[in-house]
Amino acid sequence: MLRIEGMETQRYHLIVIGAGSGGLVAAAGAAGLGAKVALVEKHKMGGDCLNTGCVPSKAIIRTAKLIYDTKTGHRFGLCDLHPEINLSRIMESVRSVQSKLEPHDSPDRFRGLGIDLHFGSFRFISSHEITDGKVTLSAKRFVIATGASPFVPPIKGINEIPILTSDNVWGLKELPKRLVVLGGGPIGAELTQVFARLGSKVTVVEMLDSLLIREDTEVSQFIKERFIKEGIEVLIGHKAVEVRKSGDSFELIAQEGQKGKHIPFDQILVAVGRAPNVNGLDLEKAGVKFSKKGIEVDEYLQTSAKHIFACGDVVGPYQFTHTADFQARLILRNALFPGRSKINYRVVPWCTFTDPEVARVGFNEREAKEKGIPYDLYSYSFNDLDRAVCDREEGGFIKILTEKGSGQLLGITIVGSHAGDLLHELALAMHQRIGLKKIASMIHVYPTLAEISKRIADTYQRSHMTPRLKQWLATYFKWRFG
């Protein structure tokens, strides 16, 4: 191996590449256990979550919700108002939220934990060494947590116009009058509704046959109908084939079967997926196998080089902040101590933060049918939940799948206000294999949205009141009370 004369080599127990959610958890955890740790970051601490993902998107979603409630004040016995929208001020408010959370991921905090920080573009020069051309870092163990970036599809003309992605949309200073959103997945759906509520005329274009394609049909249809009600043009089954300049603006040509549709726009937001960040690491020199889907890992989160682990969006299969955290915690056990533990994705909750939210854990109906898993289905509407009615948040539902003939949970889907928060009681029950019968016996505060868990459990209980049991009870009461 060729070395640059005079280059310093620093040695560690563990080197973490990437200071996003997974990398920060791995680095902080290892340092807390007493390991000598280096953390390498190419851009900013906090990764996508703090800088371009979870935090800014949820901050602006809250603003958009406030605008919607103001514009529909009649629901609360108030006048409908139309507040002045200044996107620059809104984005400044979003940045103020980020600045409040930034200290949690700051260089000072992690240096205070005893971690050596190295900023720059590091690459492998051997299976145990990385360099940025100025310093060489060596370790017994590595964690790769480099995340993912917005994928821009090879649409004709797309590289000839300015485009927005979830990375750079936060730099907008003026609200687009006409916005096209490519992609009806979670990111596309959330930002579609946000910009429509801010005042843009939004058209969302999805190549597949529904929004939120991983969800059940009635879930996707519910969100589609909500979007249409809010004035959003929803084009599903439309493939974007070309973008071109048209006068002072642009147009997208989307194809549905043999028909082409021309959609004028001022800005286009591309949200068709995220590609793992594997380029520029020289993974081949470390013996780490990867593909366009990301770094290959086994059930222990080890790469093909067994001393190198990987987690987060660069690995999948779920590109969520909380799964990166979950994976990083397992890596700490496997990388630093004897023995190995397998990753288990049986209970992975997630939420799409549209309004209403869509939260899920485990199987939905479509997946259960595809896998041939027998199940019982129970549902309950938010229209019948007292707190939802009080909050003017009717609409939505909860669906629960249980093992056929038992109350053990297979999967939960919630479409409704605060669905992401409401999911956790049931996710814990699923994780600990607690049946619906026990949930029905627990006291829930009235009136709260959390009662949805008790109501669905009561529905399960009532389903076991068979005609035969009813007949037996009738006979019993007649004998007992006359």
Side-chain angles (χ1 to χ4, degrees):
M1 178 180 61
L2 180 64
R3 291 192 178 279
I4 300 175
E5 185 178 353
M7 181 182 291
E8 178 187 4
T9 298
Q10 300 179 16
R11 304 186 185 281
Y12 299 91
H13 299 133
L14 179 72
I15 294 175
V16 179
I17 305 174
S21 301
L24 293 178
V25 169
L33 292 168
K36 186 179 181 183
V37 180
L39 177 59
V40 171
E41 173 53 46
K42 188 176 182 180
H43 298 299
K44 293 181 179 180
M45 300 279 286
D48 294 325
C49 186
L50 174 65
N51 297 297
T52 61
C54 313
V55 171
S57 65
K58 301 315 161 281
I60 202 169
I61 283 171
R62 182 64 184 90
T63 299
K65 171 67 170 171
L66 178 60
I67 292 170
Y68 176 76
D69 286 345
T70 302
K71 288 182 176 179
T72 58
H74 63 274
R75 296 185 298 130
F76 304 92
L78 304 172
C79 295
D80 293 348
L81 301 176
H82 296 275
E84 178 187 348
I85 306 299
N86 184 309
L87 189 61
S88 289
R89 286 206 303 263
I90 291 172
M91 290 302 187
E92 184 59 36
S93 175
V94 169
R95 285 189 285 274
S96 73
V97 171
Q98 291 174 294
S99 67
K100 291 177 183 178
L101 298 176
E102 194 172 18
H104 300 307
D105 300 340
S106 68
D108 287 345
R109 180 187 172 221
F110 280 80
R111 289 190 181 105
L113 296 174
I115 298 167
D116 287 351
L117 299 183
H118 298 268
F119 290 93
S121 298
F122 281 78
R123 67 187 188 279
F124 283 95
I125 54 176
S126 75
S127 62
H128 285 277
E129 296 172 301
I130 60 174
T131 185
D132 64 349
K134 300 174 184 177
V135 62
T136 296
L137 309 180
S138 175
K140 295 287 188 181
R141 299 286 188 272
F142 284 82
V143 178
I144 302 174
T146 49
S149 300
F151 172 70
V152 179
I155 300 169
K156 183 179 180 181
I158 196 76
N159 294 324
E160 299 172 13
I161 67 168
I163 65 170
L164 298 172
T165 68
S166 58
D167 275 2
N168 66 5
V169 68
W170 312 109
L172 275 179
K173 293 180 173 58
E174 294 184 3
L175 188 69
K177 291 182 179 179
R178 298 170 300 177
L179 176 68
V180 165
V181 178
L182 285 187
I187 295 174
E190 289 178 6
L191 292 177
T192 287
Q193 191 175 41
V194 161
F195 278 96
R197 289 180 165 188
L198 293 180
S200 295
K201 173 59 181 174
V202 182
T203 301
V204 58
V205 179
E206 170 55 54
M207 181 174 65
L208 300 177
D209 60 4
S210 69
L211 302 174
L212 304 179
I213 192 65
R214 295 180 67 177
E215 308 300 339
D216 279 333
T217 300
E218 67 265 41
V219 174
S220 302
Q221 185 64 24
F222 189 98
I223 297 301
K224 176 185 174 182
E225 290 174 1
R226 182 61 177 264
F227 280 11
I228 293 172
K229 182 179 178 181
E230 294 189 20
I232 298 166
E233 183 178 17
V234 180
L235 300 178
I236 59 174
H238 284 70
K239 181 180 180 181
V241 294
E242 184 179 358
V243 291
R244 61 172 67 151
K245 189 164 179 59
S246 176
D248 294 331
S249 60
F250 308 93
E251 68 175 4
L252 168 73
I253 301 173
Q255 194 166 355
E256 181 190 21
Q258 300 301 315
K259 297 183 297 183
K261 183 177 178 66
H262 292 243
I263 308 160
F265 65 88
D266 302 300
Q267 295 271 12
I268 186 168
L269 172 64
V270 180
V272 296
R274 296 175 61 79
N277 295 328
V278 293
N279 295 326
L281 294 173
D282 286 352
L283 294 172
E284 300 89 345
K285 294 180 180 178
V288 174
K289 293 182 179 179
F290 66 96
S291 68
K292 64 180 181 179
K293 295 182 179 180
I295 293 175
E296 299 175 13
V297 294
D298 62 16
E299 56 197 352
Y300 308 105
L301 298 178
Q302 290 175 292
T303 70
S304 51
K306 296 305 180 184
H307 66 289
I308 301 176
F309 297 76
C311 66
D313 290 0
V314 75
V315 170
Y318 302 97
Q319 291 189 337
F320 306 131
T321 293
H322 47 281
T323 49
D325 179 304
F326 176 58
Q327 291 170 330
R329 293 170 189 267
L330 182 80
I331 285 175
L332 286 174
R333 188 258 174 274
N334 289 345
L336 300 179
F337 299 99
R340 295 183 299 176
S341 296
K342 296 180 181 179
I343 194 77
N344 186 343
Y345 295 116
R346 185 179 74 88
V347 182
V348 177
W350 69 80
C351 183
T352 300
F353 294 90
T354 48
D355 182 18
E357 295 176 358
V358 177
R360 180 151 74 91
V361 63
F363 294 111
N364 60 15
E365 268 199 281
R366 177 175 55 81
E367 292 170 339
K369 289 176 180 177
E370 288 174 353
K371 295 180 180 295
I373 299 173
Y375 63 89
D376 292 318
L377 173 66
Y378 307 94
S379 63
Y380 193 87
S381 172
F382 272 71
N383 292 333
D384 298 321
L385 190 66
D386 291 7
R387 182 55 185 270
V389 176
C390 291
D391 289 348
R392 283 74 158 183
E393 296 288 356
E394 303 99 316
F397 51 88
I398 182 173
K399 287 175 56 177
I400 286 186
L401 275 64
T402 64
E403 295 176 1
K404 191 73 175 177
S406 82
Q408 291 300 314
L409 297 167
L410 285 173
I412 302 103
T413 298
I414 306 177
V415 181
S417 177
H418 294 281
D421 298 313
L422 299 176
L423 184 68
H424 288 85
E425 177 183 356
L426 294 166
L428 176 62
M430 185 174 174
H431 184 265
Q432 295 298 316
R433 302 186 185 278
I434 296 171
L436 287 172
K437 184 177 180 180
K438 290 187 177 180
I439 294 175
S441 68
M442 187 182 117
I443 299 174
H444 289 69
V445 174
Y446 176 88
T448 62
L449 295 176
E451 280 193 293
I452 196 77
S453 297
K454 184 175 180 63
R455 298 304 177 206
I456 194 71
D458 288 343
T459 300
Y460 162 78
Q461 292 281 72
R462 286 193 297 272
S463 73
H464 287 69
M465 187 66 72
T466 62
R468 184 176 179 180
L469 179 58
K470 289 180 180 179
Q471 184 179 9
W472 184 91
L473 287 171
T475 302
Y476 166 78
F477 288 131
K478 184 177 181 180
W479 168 80
R480 182 70 174 81
F481 300 107

